[in-house]
Structures are given as C-alpha cells and as structure tokens.
Amino acid sequence: MSAGATRREKKDKAKVKDSNLEKEETVFLLQWDAVPHQQIQELLHRSGNELQAELKEILGFRNYQTCMKEAALLDYYVCGFWWAKEANFTPIQISFTMAALHMLLNNIREKQMVLVENMMEFAKALGAACCCSTSETDTTSLLDKEDAMALISYIRNSLFQKYTLYELLFTTSREELLTGMERTIEVFSCQDALTPLEEGISTHICLQ
C-alpha cells in the first residue's frame, strides 16, 4: 500500500470520527437530561405554580425561598419552560430549549465562559438543531427558521442581556449577595420598582 493511500485512509477516518462526534453532541442537546420527554409532556399540562413545584423537586432546590441563587435559577428554568410552552414548541423542542438553557448556564458556572464564547457555543447548538431531523423517519429539522429566531430572541433577553448578573451569581458569596440586596432595598425603598432579576439592575448598585 502506498504512503499516499495510507494518508488518505487516515484523513477519511478522521472525518468520520469528527462527524460522529458532532452527531453525538447534537443528540445530547436534543434532550434535557433532567427530564425525559414523557415527563415534559406531563409538565405541559401543569399550571405555573404546579410547574414551579415540580421543577423545584426535579432540580433539587430545597432552599429557594431563602437562597437567592436557588430562587434565581428556579426562575430561570421555570420561565424558560413556560416560554417554550407559550411558543407552542413540541415536547422535543422544549427539551432542546431546556438543554440549551442548561448548557449556557453551565458554561458560566463551570467553565467561566465570557459572553462571546458562550454565544458561539449557543450558535453551534442552534445550527445543529436547525440541520438535525427529529427522527430517522422524519426529515423535518428540529427547529425551523421561525422557531430558531424566536429562541434566539428569548435567550438574548433572558440571559445574554443579564450576563454579568449571572456571572456574579456564581462568583459572589451568599453573604455578599445578601448585603447587596439589603443596600438595593435601601436605595429603592421609596421607589416603585421591579425585582433586580426582572429589570437586570446594574450590578454596581446591588453588590458594591
């Protein structure tokens, strides 16, 4: 066998390996590991309070009423699920949405990714979802252009525009968060204002 043929074989094997890895990553993102598709179907019939109660148990948030971090994360997941439901996403689309939300949050918490890096990771996941079919027999992509644009808009407003707030949530101690919250209450005690999470209040006010 010639050296040229050997190099071609190695290159072909490398391409197959890369293709398999991409497929595995796409399959991973097709579903949210925390909740199987059947359970997502059941959650679609829950009221807002029921959904919050069930996700609280699924995610293991036992102190969400007294822990700011757990409260913020529970709100993040509940709002994401409810948005996908209101957008008339299918169960598998909702599963992908929740998997993407979880991935982006994990990129902040575990990998300390900056905004631009995380946006690139989201773009890769979204591109895979737009090219990937939901099953071997159905060639329809998981997300069409309209679905993808809606999801981009939601994640931009719910996470990317409040990125620094989420970074601080994972890097600031509970005591510092509580102190910051007390100062925020003092500043806004005479004003009618929404919660810091809803408005994305400037972190220098909350945590100085």
Side-chain angles (χ1 to χ4, degrees), residues 71-72 75-76 79 157-159 161-162 165-166 192-202 206:
D75 181 72
Y76 174 83
C79 288
N157 295 331
S158 64
L159 177 64
Q161 289 186 355
K162 303 173 183 178
L165 191 63
Y166 281 100
D192 293 326
L194 294 175
T195 67
L197 285 176
E198 290 170 325
E199 284 296 304
I201 291 173
S202 176
C206 297

Side-chain angles (χ1 to χ4, degrees), residues 34-45:
V35 182
H37 288 163
Q38 179 60 39
Q39 193 170 2
I40 285 179
Q41 184 70 57
E42 295 171 359
L43 290 174
L44 285 171
H45 301 290

Side-chain angles (χ1 to χ4, degrees), residues 4-207:
T6 302
R7 283 195 294 271
R8 282 197 300 273
E9 287 180 1
K10 289 183 178 179
K11 186 178 292 186
D12 291 340
K13 288 180 180 179
K15 288 181 179 179
V16 171
K17 183 177 181 180
D18 290 341
S19 177
N20 289 337
L21 286 174
E22 289 178 4
K23 182 178 290 187
E24 288 175 5
E25 290 175 357
T26 302
V27 170
F28 168 76
L29 278 173
L30 287 180
Q31 61 182 10
W32 187 31
D33 286 349
V35 182
H37 288 163
Q38 179 60 39
Q39 193 170 2
I40 285 179
Q41 184 70 57
E42 295 171 359
L43 290 174
L44 285 171
H45 301 290
R46 302 291 188 263
S47 66
N49 289 335
E50 291 171 339
L51 176 63
Q52 176 176 294
E54 293 205 30
L55 286 181
K56 170 180 69 72
E57 294 299 321
I58 290 169
L59 297 168
F61 293 153
R62 305 286 184 243
N63 304 307
Y64 76 99
Q65 292 181 319
T66 57
C67 175
M68 182 182 293
K69 184 179 293 186
E70 285 195 5
L73 295 180
L74 181 60
D75 181 72
Y76 174 83
Y77 285 108
V78 170
C79 288
F81 191 100
W82 197 262
W83 172 84
K85 174 184 175 180
E86 292 292 297
N88 294 318
F89 275 19
T90 64
I92 191 171
Q93 288 177 323
I94 292 176
S95 188
F96 169 78
T97 298
M98 300 304 291
L101 288 171
H102 179 73
M103 176 196 73
L104 294 172
L105 204 63
N106 191 61
N107 286 343
I108 300 174
R109 177 171 45 195
E110 302 295 337
K111 300 180 181 179
Q112 288 82 51
M113 278 191 185
V114 298
L115 176 59
V116 173
E117 291 177 331
N118 219 355
M119 290 177 68
M120 291 175 65
E121 288 296 304
F122 175 57
K124 287 195 297 184
L126 196 64
C130 290
C131 295
C132 180
S133 59
T134 55
S135 68
E136 293 182 359
T137 57
D138 185 3
T139 58
T140 304
S141 59
L142 177 62
L143 295 177
D144 61 24
K145 183 177 179 180
E146 185 177 343
D147 295 331
M149 293 302 295
L151 183 56
I152 289 170
S153 179
Y154 175 75
I155 290 183
R156 181 184 65 239
N157 295 331
S158 64
L159 177 64
F160 291 153
Q161 289 186 355
K162 303 173 183 178
Y163 205 80
T164 301
L165 191 63
Y166 281 100
E167 286 179 316
L168 287 173
L169 191 66
F170 293 121
T171 59
T172 307
S173 68
R174 182 173 181 272
E175 290 73 18
E176 288 177 295
L177 286 172
L178 290 174
T179 301
M181 185 171 65
E182 290 172 358
R183 292 181 180 178
T184 301
I185 291 171
E186 290 175 3
V187 171
F188 290 96
S189 60
C190 297
Q191 301 179 21
D192 293 326
L194 294 175
T195 67
L197 285 176
E198 290 170 325
E199 284 296 304
I201 291 173
S202 176
T203 53
H204 74 273
I205 293 177
C206 297
L207 298 174

